[in-house]
């Protein structure tokens, strides 16, 4: 039995390129006691891969999670037909003992069997009902401690995480301000998500936008970008404002040997007595299904919507990943095998 997989062939220099990956075919090993044969259905494509690959060796299977189906099993916890989420990387088939699977941060990340989503597609287990949904849920409610009528700013507001955070803020009765990278995304956030204030950061003066949309200052900031944009937002924050640091997209494509210096934000943080907390969603592994269940309920109740960009064909993995850094899509990027 054979499978296809992408190799992380060359360390990224600037934007990722197709030549950084190599698509190969290989023969699968024989199954042993405890092994399971998983067949990929959907694969996740996420910006954090760019950051994580800075410290990974070349020559390995490109990292990433997938929704896979159990085809054959010699493990008591998995039966044929089960749908699971597992950190198997960019490959179409995998034979492995699930107890030994490692996640993208070298943690043991045993694949978990998915509950019945009802009418909601299985692909959402990689987005709103998976890592992205839990990142938004816990990063918003647990880190920001948000309150009704406060002002919330979200960067990459049309992304898989940001688009959920803005909806949570709206549900809570906050004054929500979103920044995104295209007029098409601005329109979607305004027309479909009904967000109070949305701006294209590429064509807008950030400081002027905040003066207009948040005349009384910003209380909560869900930060996906870092860099100069975040330093401007910090200056608009109120005393004792809270920042949930989820990502740093602005620096992901920098030269690891010559990184840009961070803006001088310490004085702003000090004077305003801001609280900044970075997080990795794995912190809440013991409550993982709590986040999934809550987002599933909100979808079924019609209180939140989600957007997926589904690309067909395993051979499109590299192109889809590269497209994340060019603004080619918004919402959650998923590849259907």
């Amino acid at each position: 039995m054979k499978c296809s997989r992408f190799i992380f062939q060359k360390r990224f220099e600037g934007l990722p390129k197709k030549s950084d990956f190599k698509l190969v075919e290989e023969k699968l090993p024989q199954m042993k006691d405890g092994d399971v044969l998983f067949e990929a259905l959907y694969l996740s494509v996420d910006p954090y891969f760019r950051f994580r690959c800075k410290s990974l060796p070349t020559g390995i299977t490109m990292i990433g999670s997938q929704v896979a189906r159990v085809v054959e099993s010699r493990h008591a916890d998995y039966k044929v037909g089960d749908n699971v989420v597992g950190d198997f990387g960019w490959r179409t088939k995998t034979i492995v003992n699930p107890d030994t699977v490692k996640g993208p941060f070298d943690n043991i990340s045993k694949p978990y069997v998915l509950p019945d989503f009802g009418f909601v597609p299985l692909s959402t287990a990689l987005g709103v009902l998976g890592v992205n949904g839990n990142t938004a849920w816990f990063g918003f409610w647990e880190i920001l401690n948000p309150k009704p009528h406060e002002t919330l700013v979200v960067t990459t507001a049309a992304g898989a995480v940001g688009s959920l955070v803005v909806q949570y803020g709206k549900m809570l009765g906050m004054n929500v301000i979103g920044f995104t990278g295209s007029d098409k995304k601005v329109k979607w956030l305004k027309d479909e998500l009904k967000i109070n204030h949305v701006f294209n950061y590429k064509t807008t003066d950030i400081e002027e936008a905040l003066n207009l949309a948040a005349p009384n200052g910003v209380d909560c900031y869900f930060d996906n970008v870092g860099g100069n944009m975040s330093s401007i937002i910090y200056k608009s924050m109120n005393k004792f404002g809270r920042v949930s640091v989820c990502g740093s997209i602005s620096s992901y494509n920098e030269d690891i040997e010559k990184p840009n210096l961070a803006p001088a934000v310490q004085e702003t943080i000090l004077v305003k007595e801001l609280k900044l907390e970075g997080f990795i969603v794995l912190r809440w592994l013991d409550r993982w299904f709590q986040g999934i269940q809550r987002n599933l309920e909100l979808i079924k109740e019609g209180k939140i919507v989600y957007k997926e960009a589904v690309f067909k064909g395993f051979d499109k993995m590299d192109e889809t990943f590269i497209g994340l850094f060019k603004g080619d899509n918004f919402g959650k990027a998923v590849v259907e095998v």
Side-chain angles (χ1 to χ4, degrees):
M1 186 182 303
K2 294 183 178 181
C3 80
S4 298
R5 70 182 179 107
F6 273 94
I7 295 173
F8 174 41
Q9 180 173 247
K10 186 175 180 292
R11 198 165 300 286
F12 304 132
E13 296 179 3
L15 286 172
K17 299 176 286 295
K18 286 182 69 69
S19 58
D20 296 331
F21 307 96
K22 184 179 180 181
L23 178 59
V24 299
E25 189 175 72
E26 68 177 17
K27 186 176 180 180
L28 290 171
Q30 293 293 318
M31 290 187 65
K32 306 184 296 291
D33 287 344
D35 284 350
V36 178
L37 169 59
F38 298 99
E39 184 170 17
L41 303 177
Y42 299 95
L43 292 100
S44 182
V45 183
D46 296 285
Y48 85 85
F49 294 171
R50 176 66 180 82
F51 162 75
R52 183 66 186 99
C53 284
K54 288 182 178 181
S55 59
L56 292 178
T58 56
I60 64 170
T61 299
M62 182 60 186
I63 61 171
S65 59
Q66 59 178 252
V67 173
R69 184 158 294 157
V70 175
V71 176
E72 186 176 345
S73 177
R74 298 184 184 179
H75 193 291
D77 295 342
Y78 301 86
K79 65 179 186 299
V80 174
D82 280 347
N83 297 311
V84 309
V85 170
D87 288 296
F88 304 133
W90 291 10
R91 52 187 304 128
T92 55
K93 293 183 179 71
T94 305
I95 291 178
V96 68
N97 183 326
D99 299 330
T100 66
V101 174
K102 286 191 175 183
F105 294 92
D106 295 327
N107 57 302
I108 293 296
S109 182
K110 185 175 178 177
Y112 59 88
V113 178
L114 292 171
D116 182 5
F117 287 172
F119 66 83
V120 183
L122 273 176
S123 55
T124 58
L126 299 173
V128 62
L129 299 181
V131 169
N132 299 127
N134 279 353
T135 299
W137 181 263
F138 292 112
F140 178 74
W141 296 105
E142 301 281 336
I143 305 292
L144 288 180
N145 188 27
K147 300 176 179 63
H149 310 302
E150 289 188 323
T151 292
L152 166 71
V153 171
V154 183
T155 45
T156 63
V161 174
S163 61
L164 296 175
V165 174
V166 294
Q167 292 180 84
Y168 299 153
K170 180 186 166 189
M171 284 168 42
L172 191 58
M174 303 179 80
N175 175 36
V176 181
I177 303 168
F179 286 98
T180 188
S182 74
D183 292 338
K184 180 181 178 181
K185 295 175 184 179
V186 168
K187 187 175 188 308
W188 179 70
L189 287 162
K190 285 184 174 179
D191 294 350
E192 292 197 38
L193 302 192
K194 311 296 183 185
I195 302 308
N196 306 79
H197 309 281
V198 188
F199 302 96
N200 181 344
Y201 73 87
K202 295 179 180 178
T203 58
T204 302
D205 183 290
I206 306 300
E207 191 170 356
E208 289 182 7
L210 291 171
N211 288 337
L212 173 69
N216 297 317
V218 174
D219 303 293
C220 297
Y221 173 31
F222 196 95
D223 185 4
N224 282 304
V225 299
N228 289 324
M229 187 173 182
S230 289
S231 70
I232 295 171
I233 295 171
Y234 291 166
K235 292 177 182 178
S236 295
M237 295 192 72
N238 291 324
K239 197 89 166 175
F240 307 115
R242 291 91 71 200
V243 183
S244 180
V245 183
C246 178
S248 183
I249 293 175
S250 65
S251 65
Y252 284 173
N253 290 313
E254 289 181 357
D255 185 344
I256 191 172
E257 301 297 331
K258 301 176 181 178
N260 287 335
L261 295 176
V265 296
Q266 286 87 346
E267 184 176 343
T268 301
I269 296 169
L270 175 66
V271 172
K272 292 178 178 286
E273 299 186 67
L274 303 181
K275 178 183 177 182
L276 283 72
E277 184 173 350
F279 72 94
I280 302 295
V281 71
L282 301 178
R283 181 192 306 187
W284 294 282
L285 274 178
D286 61 331
R287 296 165 58 192
W288 198 256
F289 284 99
Q290 180 186 117
I292 291 174
Q293 187 59 40
R294 190 67 188 108
N295 279 321
L296 180 58
E297 290 169 359
L298 291 173
I299 292 171
K300 291 183 175 180
E301 292 167 5
K303 293 182 178 178
I304 61 171
V305 298
Y306 63 91
K307 190 171 185 66
E308 284 187 313
V310 180
F311 301 84
K312 294 195 175 183
F314 180 74
D315 60 333
K316 299 292 192 300
M317 289 295 299
D318 53 352
E319 295 175 12
T320 305
F321 176 62
I322 293 166
L324 292 179
F325 303 96
K326 296 180 178 179
D328 290 353
N329 52 70
F330 61 100
K332 172 60 186 176
V334 175
V335 172
E336 182 178 0
V337 179

